Amino acid sequence: MNGAVITTRKRNYLNASYTVRSWLLTHDHKRIGLLYLIGVTFFFVIGGLAAAVVRLELMTPRGDLTESETYNKLFTMHGITMTFFFLIPAIPAVLGNFLVPLMLGARDLAFPRLNLLSWYLYMLGGLMTMWAILAGGVDTGWTFYTPYSSTYSNTYVMATAVGVFVAGFSSILTGLNFIVTTHQMRCPGLTWFRLPLFIWSMYAASLIMVLATPVLAAALLLVGLERGLGIGIFDPAMGGDPLLFQHLFWFYAHPAVYIMVLPAFGVISELVACFSRRRPFGYAFIGYSSFAIAILGFLVWGHHMFVSGQSVYAGLIFSLLSFLVAIPSGIKVFNWTATLYKASISWETPMLYAFGFMGLFTMGGLTGLFLACLAIDVHVHDTYFVVAHFHYIMVGGTVMAFLGGIHFWWPKMTGRMYPESWARLSAILIFVGFNLTFFPQFILGYLGMPRRYHIYPEEFQVLNVMSSAGASILGVGYFFPLTYLVWSMFYGAVAPENPFGHTGLEWQTASPPPTDNFEQIPVVTQEAYSFGPDDALRGPSEEVISIVQAS
Amino acid sequence: MDTSFRLLPEQASTFAPDVDLLFAFLMLVSGLLSLGIAGVIVWFAIKYRRNSAADRRATPSHMLLLELSWIVGPFILSMILFVWGAKLFFAQRHPVEGALEISCVGRQWMWKFQHPNGRAEINALHVPLNQPVKINMISEDVIHSLYVPAFRVKQDVLPGRYSTLWFQASKVGRYHLFCAEYCGAKHSGMIGEVHVLEPTRYQEWLSDVVTGTPQMGGGGRLFDQLRCNTCHMTGGEVSRGPSLLNVAGRRVPLQNGQQVVADDDYLRESILRPAAKIVAGYHALMPSFEGQVSEEQILQLISEIKAMSQLDAKKPEGELKKE
């Protein structure tokens, strides 16, 4: 590559204008996607730093690094920033924003101004929460259980709740935008069954965002009413019911798990198809299973409440439904595995993340069966077993898919290639560090170590030290992409239109795409993932090399 | 207490071996499944790597039978797990008849227990070996959760509502007792020890009032101290309030024509908010005791009322059982 290449490059959405104003007032879904990328990365770092202090504190059974009050604020900060300001927006708002119109052959989302508004709401909510943390912190845990949050906690609960409440509307608007865009703006010939699986899963996740998030808003509003105005809703001392909050919260927060993981499924379906050079095995089953998960996901919230004091019979029903939701998740894993059969698999970075995802998500999903199983859940509920389980889903699943997706679409987003060997190294580091961090926590949980414990009995120390050691490897693994991806924006090899040889419409336009995405609106004549016979043997890396050399 | 490094927790209740067997089955199933899936992924990833000479003819894009097999297979497996887990859970949630009843009050950040003879203890729980024990629990402030890992039992302790937990200890020793539901600053300090004693040792411990904590109410009946007997005659004669003989666990007809089972929550409500449910044939005369009696005293009163009911041998079986 050389400077001449860059100067002769066509106008694209990045070089269309350079002013700060042109970014902050942009209606371009691709720029808004990048704004979101900056936002979620910022919050990921904040949440990660909180986790680092938590893991450092847990190296010893005593409370020698922080006070209990500080420790409680740290894990709360970790949970709130990671859940509401990283995991929920990560894939939908960054990759979804960037890719949904491109994959649909559209020039933008249906409501570009609404899209910009949702970024501002997200940042406003996030910064309000950060302010609450700086002003003194909040110590309720990300779950805000009442009556602790509504009556007893002396920390900045209201400010945090308002922050989360505001950010919730950004989720609702993003979901709405995706649903309307998918219905209205598909290019000619792009029928529902020709859609990439990423769109199917984004659509299912959008339905949950639109339907579930208002319930969280309502629950937080009620906490505010009780805390601010003394209206008895949850505190029995004021005639309220403490379990009502848990029902409202989990009615949102369980489907929210699927807001985080359904888009990850979409990413993995794309990665597996591309790097296997095969149409995903059982395309329709993968697509339908997203909807099965979205619907069943609304009916299982009570499995967070088996020991809460809800009726035994409610527990039985929620256990049964929770087992059923495992089936569509299993369908996905089995279908991805079957896609590899007689495929032509290359082991590039995004595919390494996809392999990692399949392994870790499988373990996360299978340990979910332990928790759906009533008698086991009684023992492991609120222990480190649960902590390990949801980190396998959220970090082993969603974060792996997010990083895999970021690498995969990085050339499209920035027009530059990332350094492959560094990227592979960090993918491996993340996989190893992750397992070392979280696997010991399964054992800790079955041994009975409760979660959110600042000080713990001595016999749990060995496993906690292993976990903290793993976390340091994981931290290094995350630090690498943060640096080499930024580096690659300036010094990376110039990316061709379609460096990985994938079939989606986003690869049929320039890298980076022009502001209105396509020179001409494409017309789709084939099914998704129609790899030609030549594709099966073509080495994408070689293609990259040849194009770079030719230029 | 055994504080050595271990990978599985001690088994110290009759539930523990059952829960561990189910856990072992789940480990086996999920271990086989995850190793199987990982093995197939690695095998395919190597065999069908780009540029390998593997046979790629006749690649199927879908196979209905295969799809159905991995829907039906996991469905059957999960139903086995559901039934197994649910059966154990059902037993865990239904205390056996005649269990020793201990009351428990949780507050930020301590556990208080009281035994039937009035002996109380803080952050420690003494229980007899091989005897079913039922704990009636309530919180004075936020939600807590009583958790004894060695017994494999856990139950949230709510403010304003009783919850129960039962177990039968199967091994003498000392075990951890944790609060499992996050309850504020010193959540991780809300811990204690369960002491499982031989039944004779437990009886000795109960009667050892010299070293024991003083009993609630100084030994006399709280029922008499609070002058409940002014209105609720215990002899069975007609008075201003309904007799409390034989009331616990029974159906009580109300003024509005409804009926209510006189469980712990109903008795507690009748002490704190007497006007909420008026017994048929009586008037709303009773003053509220809200703020005048602590949660411990309410539990003490309830156990005294239950003791009055147990005097009556005609009490039909099973009515005490409540969900």
Side-chain angles (χ1 to χ4, degrees):
Chain A
M1 55 167 282
N2 52 52
V5 177
I6 297 161
T7 50
T8 56
R9 285 175 91 182
K10 281 194 247 172
R11 296 282 273 185
N12 61 51
Y13 83 103
L14 290 174
N15 66 14
S17 54
Y18 289 101
T19 59
V20 174
R21 185 189 156 85
S22 73
W23 278 88
L24 292 182
L25 296 179
T26 182
H27 295 160
D28 183 344
H29 67 100
K30 300 180 290 303
R31 284 193 165 199
I32 295 170
L34 286 193
L35 289 176
Y36 263 114
L37 179 60
I38 295 166
V40 301
T41 308
F42 171 73
F43 290 115
F44 180 77
V45 171
I46 300 279
L49 289 174
V53 184
V54 165
R55 276 314 332 158
L56 210 56
E57 169 62 66
L58 292 174
M59 294 276 286
T60 64
R62 298 169 301 281
D64 27 27
L65 184 65
T66 66
E67 297 287 317
S68 287
E69 287 83 354
T70 316
Y71 178 84
N72 296 342
K73 286 175 185 172
L74 282 165
F75 74 66
T76 303
M77 174 176 160
H78 169 68
I80 289 175
T81 36
M82 286 302 200
T83 314
F84 296 113
F85 302 107
F86 175 73
L87 286 166
I88 287 179
I91 297 179
V94 178
L95 293 173
N97 243 320
F98 191 90
L99 293 166
V100 166
L102 282 166
M103 286 182 165
L104 294 177
R107 299 214 183 271
D108 206 323
L109 285 170
F111 308 116
R113 284 185 188 83
L114 204 61
N115 195 23
L116 183 64
L117 175 66
S118 57
W119 183 74
Y120 277 102
L121 287 174
Y122 162 72
M123 288 307 288
L124 182 69
L127 294 175
M128 281 178 84
T129 305
M130 288 305 112
W131 174 80
I133 286 166
L134 288 177
V138 59
D139 72 340
T140 59
W142 79 280
T143 47
F144 297 106
Y145 268 23
T146 56
Y148 185 71
S149 66
S150 59
T151 315
Y152 288 85
S153 174
N154 294 318
T155 55
Y156 286 71
V157 179
M158 289 286 260
T160 313
V162 171
V164 173
F165 181 89
V166 169
F169 284 92
S170 112
S171 242
I172 297 171
L173 297 182
T174 301
L176 187 75
N177 223 336
F178 289 172
I179 292 172
V180 175
T181 308
T182 311
H183 275 278
Q184 295 295 320
M185 301 185 61
R186 283 171 285 125
C187 67
L190 189 56
T191 60
W192 285 87
F193 285 89
R194 286 177 178 174
L195 287 173
L197 287 165
F198 181 78
I199 298 289
W200 279 81
S201 68
M202 281 305 317
Y203 186 93
S206 301
L207 285 178
I208 306 175
M209 287 191 230
V210 171
L211 295 175
T213 318
V215 181
L216 173 73
L220 292 175
L221 193 67
L222 293 176
V223 169
L225 286 179
E226 180 162 297
R227 202 177 159 84
L229 304 177
I231 299 172
I233 297 160
F234 302 121
D235 187 353
M238 295 190 270
D241 183 338
L243 284 192
L244 174 63
F245 176 81
Q246 294 181 28
H247 282 290
L248 292 172
F249 180 80
W250 290 115
F251 187 82
Y252 160 76
H254 194 81
V257 171
Y258 300 111
I259 298 178
M260 304 179 221
V261 86
L262 277 170
F265 291 153
V267 169
I268 298 304
S269 295
E270 296 299 319
L271 300 186
V272 169
C274 173
F275 294 96
S276 314
R277 291 286 180 272
R278 267 197 69 188
R279 177 180 165 83
F281 184 81
Y283 167 96
F285 276 90
I286 297 182
Y288 286 138
S289 64
S290 290
F291 285 90
I293 290 170
I295 293 162
L296 283 171
F298 273 105
L299 305 174
V300 298
W301 78 91
H303 70 210
H304 297 268
M305 299 171 63
F306 288 156
V307 299
S308 70
Q310 92 184 341
S311 123
V312 172
Y313 301 96
L316 293 179
I317 301 290
F318 283 122
S319 168
L320 182 71
L321 291 166
S322 304
F323 276 113
L324 293 184
V325 85
I327 293 168
S329 311
I331 290 175
K332 300 215 184 243
V333 174
F334 291 129
N335 277 296
W336 292 323
T337 309
T339 306
L340 302 177
Y341 176 63
K342 295 201 173 183
S344 172
I345 300 163
S346 70
W347 296 44
E348 279 152 285
T349 306
M351 191 59 172
L352 292 186
Y353 279 110
F355 284 140
F357 175 98
M358 283 194 260
L360 300 181
F361 176 76
T362 301
M363 285 185 63
L366 286 168
T367 49
L369 294 181
F370 289 65
L371 296 168
C373 198
L374 284 156
I376 305 283
D377 184 72
V378 168
H379 176 51
V380 293
H381 177 80
D382 267 331
T383 68
Y384 265 85
F385 193 94
V386 175
V387 175
H389 158 73
F390 70 71
H391 279 90
Y392 266 79
I393 301 282
M394 305 283 80
V395 186
T398 305
V399 179
M400 293 292 269
F402 176 68
L403 286 171
I406 285 288
H407 282 85
F408 184 57
W409 283 290
W410 190 253
K412 187 54 64 183
M413 295 170 102
T414 63
R416 301 288 185 148
M417 299 303 296
Y418 54 82
E420 178 68 18
S421 43
W422 279 101
R424 285 189 202 194
L425 174 69
S426 25
I428 292 163
L429 273 180
I430 289 171
F431 184 80
V432 171
F434 175 86
N435 280 297
L436 192 54
T437 309
F438 293 105
F439 196 83
Q441 296 185 3
F442 282 123
I443 306 169
L444 274 174
Y446 200 74
L447 283 171
M449 179 167 165
R451 62 192 286 204
R452 296 170 170 178
Y453 260 35
H454 174 221
I455 297 161
Y456 58 85
E458 274 174 32
E459 63 260 38
F460 298 142
Q461 189 176 8
V462 176
L463 289 161
N464 270 296
V465 169
M466 283 170 69
S467 182
S468 295
S472 64
I473 299 176
L474 190 59
V476 173
Y478 286 143
F479 178 73
F480 282 162
L482 219 55
T483 44
Y484 68 68
L485 285 178
V486 173
W487 174 88
S488 77
M489 283 199 282
F490 303 98
Y491 306 107
V494 173
E497 210 169 80
N498 191 1
F500 302 112
H502 199 33
T503 56
L505 291 178
E506 78 271 26
W507 301 107
Q508 316 306 321
T509 186
S511 300
T515 301
D516 50 4
N517 292 349
F518 299 97
E519 306 268 315
Q520 260 186 321
I521 288 295
V523 176
V524 176
T525 54
Q526 282 180 306
E527 287 183 316
Y529 314 107
S530 299
F531 291 100
D534 297 339
D535 289 327
L537 296 169
R538 192 175 63 182
S541 323
E542 292 155 32
E543 189 200 40
V544 174
I545 294 161
S546 63
I547 287 173
V548 169
Q549 283 170 345
S551 63
Chain B
M1 196 175 312
D2 182 6
T3 56
S4 56
F5 178 78
R6 43 169 64 236
L7 291 173
L8 285 171
E10 274 189 276
Q11 296 181 334
S13 79
T14 49
F15 293 136
D18 296 340
V19 172
D20 286 357
L21 183 66
L22 175 54
F23 182 76
F25 178 72
L26 263 160
M27 283 292 288
L28 182 76
V29 168
S30 52
L32 285 177
L33 268 170
S34 46
L35 284 180
I37 293 169
V40 170
I41 290 175
V42 171
W43 175 38
F44 284 169
I46 293 170
K47 182 167 181 197
Y48 299 111
R49 68 189 182 280
R50 188 88 28 103
N51 305 329
S52 77
D55 179 12
R56 291 188 175 84
R57 283 169 300 176
T59 344
S61 79
H62 58 276
M63 277 166 72
L64 193 60
L65 252 140
L66 192 61
E67 295 280 358
L68 289 178
S69 76
W70 58 53
I71 293 173
V72 175
F75 176 76
I76 293 170
L77 179 69
S78 58
M79 287 307 102
I80 294 170
L81 291 169
F82 164 70
V83 172
W84 191 343
K87 273 180 81 171
L88 274 177
F89 177 72
F90 218 69
Q92 286 173 334
R93 281 287 170 266
H94 290 92
V96 294
E97 287 291 313
L100 171 71
E101 293 201 23
I102 296 174
S103 56
C104 165
V105 175
R107 62 183 290 188
Q108 288 175 321
W109 292 275
M110 62 162 77
W111 294 105
K112 294 184 280 188
F113 295 95
Q114 192 173 2
H115 295 259
N117 76 340
R119 179 155 183 191
E121 51 185 333
I122 287 174
N123 290 344
L125 172 63
H126 289 75
V127 293
L129 181 71
N130 292 334
Q131 189 180 333
V133 175
K134 179 184 166 193
I135 317 238
N136 298 315
M137 311 183 289
I138 195 158
S139 163
E140 284 183 359
D141 38 48
V142 301
I143 301 176
H144 303 280
S145 187
L146 188 73
Y147 177 34
V148 184
F151 293 171
R152 314 286 187 276
V153 291
K154 179 185 292 122
Q155 177 64 46
D156 284 6
V157 181
L158 304 168
R161 184 192 302 185
Y162 291 108
S163 54
T164 59
L165 173 152
W166 87 278
F167 55 82
Q168 182 171 330
S170 62
K171 194 174 151 197
V172 170
R174 295 188 299 150
Y175 307 101
H176 285 300
L177 178 160
F178 294 128
C179 174
E181 183 63 69
Y182 175 69
C183 60
K186 302 265 180 289
H187 168 54
S188 65
M190 192 168 164
I191 57 173
E193 271 185 18
V194 180
H195 300 253
V196 178
L197 306 175
E198 293 284 354
T200 49
R201 294 268 339 269
Y202 174 70
Q203 287 304 329
E204 284 168 33
W205 178 86
L206 267 188
S207 52
D208 183 7
V209 282
V210 182
T211 54
T213 335
Q215 294 179 176
M216 306 279 175
R221 287 208 318 174
L222 203 53
F223 193 80
D224 302 328
Q225 282 176 31
L226 292 168
R227 302 193 183 280
C228 306
N229 51 359
T230 328
C231 300
H232 299 285
M233 301 291 193
T234 50
E237 56 269 57
V238 178
S239 61
R240 276 175 288 181
S243 165
L244 298 184
L245 278 182
N246 306 326
V247 71
R250 295 293 190 82
R251 283 190 181 282
V252 178
L254 298 182
Q255 208 177 36
N256 62 8
Q258 292 178 330
Q259 285 200 333
V260 65
V261 175
D263 58 13
D264 294 7
D265 281 313
Y266 167 76
L267 294 174
R268 180 177 179 277
E269 183 188 54
S270 301
I271 295 166
L272 297 177
R273 289 178 292 280
K277 296 188 179 80
I278 301 292
V279 177
Y282 291 88
H283 298 287
L285 297 172
M286 182 172 157
S288 164
F289 280 74
E290 189 127 39
Q292 299 180 42
V293 286
S294 66
E295 291 292 354
E296 281 112 315
Q297 288 176 317
I298 300 171
L299 278 162
Q300 172 81 14
L301 277 171
I302 291 172
S303 77
E304 286 175 12
I305 293 167
K306 282 185 186 166
M308 294 176 208
S309 304
Q310 275 157 6
L311 296 174
D312 183 8
K314 285 176 294 183
K315 184 171 66 72
E317 286 251 326
E319 280 218 328
L320 251 178
K321 267 210 302 196
K322 66 178 186 71
E323 167 29 52

